[in-house]
């Protein structure tokens, strides 16, 4: 694995990714069960998920970069600020964090009824919309990582949180605005709805590839250096 | 064209304007079809459009300044931070981006029913309100560009995004809060409602002229230097 | 008037206060007529007024400090960052701006029906609540002006805008959340409801005196220097 | 008490904690009585409490750090940035501030009907959810205090305010989202509902212990120095 070693610093990063993803899943997917009709649910859910990301990014941005999402780690690897071995470790920590978040909520609420329910039938245009929204989110991460905005991390949590909220306002009625494969996976595990997995996986993978390549080859100023 | 040349840096800027305008149009105009009654639609639409600008400005502010709006580029030219040739290139990129955003959404949703619908009859006071709101938005850009706030770009996306949301809260019931001629043009193309074009065009052009002149001759500290 | 002179710099400041107050009144008081029942009106009105202040502060903070409110200028004079002559000029510009904002809206909407309506009967506890909310708002300005937060002006518009929104969420049902005497005066002029004037005037004056004195004598680090 | 002395600087800090906690309780707990059904109450209450913290943190962050919450002071002591004697003084000031906030509101509104009402029955899973949400909030404070984010205080009020709002969006329907023992105590005093005290006290104390220990022993970069 070359100059890549599992040390205390990496352990801290992975613990941050694990805990951060668990926080997002717990807050967003599992507590967001407020009553009310469709209208306020749309507004409330978009704000809840966006502010859940805001919370986790505020806590963990300085420790691990607060990816909290396999598509974000994938894009970071493509644009060249992350080694592929660390990407795999990050994804593993995120997957375990997502599972821990669900397990915790299940233990606390003692009910899985409509937990993390994915609201819509899956059709081709659902996949397209999820792809576009994830692509826009990943471009926002690319801009934040760019060497030209180096140092501007103080308000990263506010910006990503409200961008997520905005994407959810626009796409929630059609796709539920997942934008994170492990959130989809969590919904599938809890509701046994495995049919929803593939469209989201394809959409998120394609969005990560597209955003990473477009930023690296069209928008980046110079070749960035690996983070490790 | 004097010292103005089409080079790689300009191509990057134009691609940024193109993609950014497409993102705003796709998120704001075309996905914002949430159900519900008039009340929540007003709140939801204002937040969706404002956060769509937030998203695109977060991504592209460092690449092209994220004008995304012909009135913004026009005002920039009047206050003296942009050459007129570049203004024309920016406007062309924005127009193509707006068309691409609609085409993409049309392809994805496979329905143009009430897509980008402009909600109101066009009367004289609609034009006046759109003029005022656009004028206020352009003054906010002028303040952000001013030499006295140089460097304060980290939170530009948050500030412009929430200003757009605020203007939309105030003016959405009357005018739909376009503030961007290519968004009006998009609505006209999709719905064949060409009658709405002229009042918005006049309002936006007048607002750009007024904001640019007022900032340049009344508020600016010193003669700014061209950006190119 | 000692070392105080009416020069070009002061004219620029007064024009900024005039225009800024007009923008706030136009956006907040006069456009905020969205339909819907009481619930959404409460949320929408609080966001509209808060984001109206955000807009005007983003534009004019660098030019005049964006007081836009006689209580803010009064408090600034008490804590010692403003000369009393300039305070009077600022208040005059704000009053004219408020009147211009109403006149403009009246001309545009061609209807004064329920324009700037003050929603409640005036009782003693209404005055108390308005006094408390204005006091909290003015303390936030004092903290922003304090020498210890010097330079932190980039996000001033976001912070004051959302503080105004929060105060309005808490107090709108009781008092309409004016917090600005010229907004009260505007409502009285348009609706002929002069009975509402005095409680608000007393509340705002008392809040300015209390906030200014508490900050200057209890919380300030050292004697600040006049701004002029 | 070693090098710890009650001086003017400490008096200023305690006055700030006292006033700040009173402001939060007055704005959040006691004014938040807007009408309307359950749906908008959920959204409105979450925004009101979050923006109440935003207001108080904007005012007092530079004076006392704006803890405003015994769990925050407890966590600060565990992570090592506060001496335990000062923690006790802070908690006393916060308790008196919370009582003053209620007394003030009671005097102003002249009605304690459903004042600060705690919305739900207390069950084991309510305690668990309150523990988790408080734990997440305290981690956000730990990250803000960390030496690696030193200096990034300008937007602290915005970040904590919106994190509180997000936690409330997620947990309000179940627990009322207290996250602050003196807010619970206030509700108990006003409504005589002493049965709600213990679950919240246990949840907040456990969250403070967990967040403090996890940050200090797992995430902190180096041994921080005491603040005094």
């Amino acid at each position: 694995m070359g100059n890549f070693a599992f040390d205390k610093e990496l352990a801290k990063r992975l613990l941050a990714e694990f805990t951060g993803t668990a926080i997002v899943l717990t807050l967003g997917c599992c507590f967001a069960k407020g009553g009310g009709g469709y209208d306020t649910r749309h507004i409330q859910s978009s704000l809840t998920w966006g502010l859940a990301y805001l919370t986790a990014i505020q806590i963990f941005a300085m420790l691990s970069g607060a990816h909290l999402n396999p598509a974000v780690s994938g894009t970071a690897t493509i644009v060249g600020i992350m080694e592929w071995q660390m990407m795999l470790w990050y994804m593993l920590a995120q997957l375990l964090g997502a599972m821990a978040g669900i397990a915790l909520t299940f233990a606390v609420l003692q009910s899985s009824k409509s937990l993390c329910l994915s609201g819509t039938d899956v059709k081709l245009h659902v996949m397209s919309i999820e792809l576009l929204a994830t692509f826009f989110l990943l471009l926002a991460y690319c801009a934040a990582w760019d060497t030209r905005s180096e140092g501007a991390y103080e308000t990263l949590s506010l910006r990503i949180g409200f961008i997520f909220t905005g994407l959810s306002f626009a796409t929630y009625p059609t796709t539920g605005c997942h934008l994170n494969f492990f959130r989809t996976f969590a919904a599938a595990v809890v509701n046994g709805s495995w049919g929803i997995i593939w469209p989201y996986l394809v959409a998120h993978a394609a969005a990560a590839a597209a955003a990473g390549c477009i930023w690296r080859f069209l928008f980046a100023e110079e070749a960035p250096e690996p983070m490790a």
Side-chain angles (χ1 to χ4, degrees), chain A residues 12-189:
Chain A
K12 215 179 262 188
R13 283 172 181 274
L14 297 182
L15 188 60
E17 285 295 313
F18 171 85
T19 319
T21 312
I23 287 175
V24 170
L25 265 281
T26 306
L27 282 179
C29 186
C30 305
F31 281 166
K33 293 164 65 91
Y38 180 78
D39 276 16
T40 49
R41 192 179 183 83
H42 180 173
I43 293 178
Q44 179 200 318
S45 181
S46 299
L47 282 164
T48 305
W49 275 99
L51 298 177
Y53 277 98
L54 193 164
T55 303
I57 292 172
Q58 155 67 15
I59 301 174
F60 295 113
M62 92 181 77
L63 292 166
S64 70
H67 291 189
L68 315 175
N69 183 339
V72 173
S73 297
T75 306
T77 305
I78 294 173
V79 298
I81 62 165
M82 196 177 208
E83 293 185 28
W84 66 267
Q85 297 101 325
M86 189 174 278
M87 178 191 79
L88 294 179
W89 282 111
Y90 264 48
M91 286 182 180
L92 180 63
Q94 290 157 6
L95 176 60
L96 295 175
M99 294 300 107
I102 300 167
L104 186 61
T105 315
F106 191 83
V108 166
L109 292 179
Q110 289 167 331
S111 155
S112 71
K113 198 177 147 221
S114 83
L115 206 61
C116 292
L117 193 66
S118 176
T120 57
D121 298 329
V122 173
K123 298 172 190 160
L124 184 62
H125 79 255
V126 169
M127 194 176 81
S128 318
I129 290 173
E130 186 78 11
L131 193 159
L132 286 173
T134 310
F135 175 65
F136 301 160
L137 177 69
L138 295 174
L139 284 183
Y141 276 97
C142 289
W145 295 327
D146 197 278
T147 49
R148 283 159 289 183
S149 49
E150 214 161 19
Y153 276 89
E154 181 182 350
T155 58
L156 181 67
S157 58
L158 287 166
R159 287 175 282 143
I160 298 287
F162 282 112
I163 286 170
F164 197 98
T165 299
L167 294 168
S168 182
F169 272 118
T171 69
Y172 183 82
T174 321
T175 70
C177 195
H178 291 198
L179 309 191
N180 184 334
F181 180 65
F182 294 151
R183 181 254 182 275
T184 311
F185 191 72
V189 166

Side-chain angles (χ1 to χ4, degrees), chain A residues 200-217:
Chain A
Y200 286 98
L201 181 56
V202 171
H204 299 162
C213 291
I214 283 176
W215 199 271
R216 178 162 198 167
F217 298 114

